[in-house]
Amino acid sequence: MKHFNSLLLQIFSSFALLAVFCFSATAEAVDADAAKAFAKENNCLRCHGVSKDKDGPAFTEVAAKFKDAPNAEEKLLHHLSSGETAKFPDGHEEPHKILKSDDANAIKNLVAWILSL
């Protein structure tokens, strides 16, 4: 029984350590200041607010929409890099601006930040 309890303690400790590591890695992976600056540079905030709808949905609304989607990052990256159609409140549609950067991580960081909201 003592060996069993020791084994359970080791397993629990391993899972706890893994959870802390994963949380820390996720928290450190997003550079919110860089994401906000990139969003400003690319005029994202002209159509999207962080927590308030404008012509486009608020970033918090986008995060909520994709909260449980297993491929959320992939979908948002595609939307931001393909010119996919964006639908506006007045009913008109137009291609979404294609984000470009010399640093591919800048766009990924923006997506990670949006999804973290």
Side-chain angles (χ1 to χ4, degrees):
M1 185 69 167
K2 185 177 179 182
H3 178 68
F4 180 72
N5 286 341
S6 176
L7 183 61
L8 281 177
L9 181 60
Q10 285 178 334
I11 292 171
F12 177 76
S13 297
S14 297
F15 279 117
L17 184 60
L18 181 62
V20 168
F21 175 76
C22 289
F23 177 75
S24 297
T26 301
E28 290 178 30
V30 176
D31 182 343
D33 291 335
K36 290 176 195 175
F38 186 75
K40 272 187 172 180
E41 290 168 14
N42 285 277
N43 294 318
C44 301
L45 300 174
R46 188 181 125 241
C47 296
H48 302 275
V50 174
S51 58
K52 183 178 178 184
D53 287 348
K54 292 185 179 181
D55 283 340
F59 290 149
T60 52
E61 186 178 321
V62 173
K65 175 182 175 182
F66 287 104
K67 181 180 179 196
D68 295 321
N71 55 350
E73 183 178 357
E74 180 183 324
K75 283 185 175 185
L76 283 178
L77 284 170
H78 175 75
H79 184 72
L80 298 176
S81 61
S82 68
E84 190 173 86
T85 301
K87 297 174 182 131
F88 289 81
D90 66 3
H92 85 281
E93 297 179 359
E94 60 185 66
H96 191 278
K97 178 184 176 187
I98 296 174
L99 297 185
K100 295 181 182 175
S101 175
D102 292 336
D103 179 8
N105 288 327
I107 298 172
K108 286 185 176 188
N109 185 60
L110 175 65
V111 168
W113 174 64
I114 291 169
L115 293 174
S116 75
L117 298 174

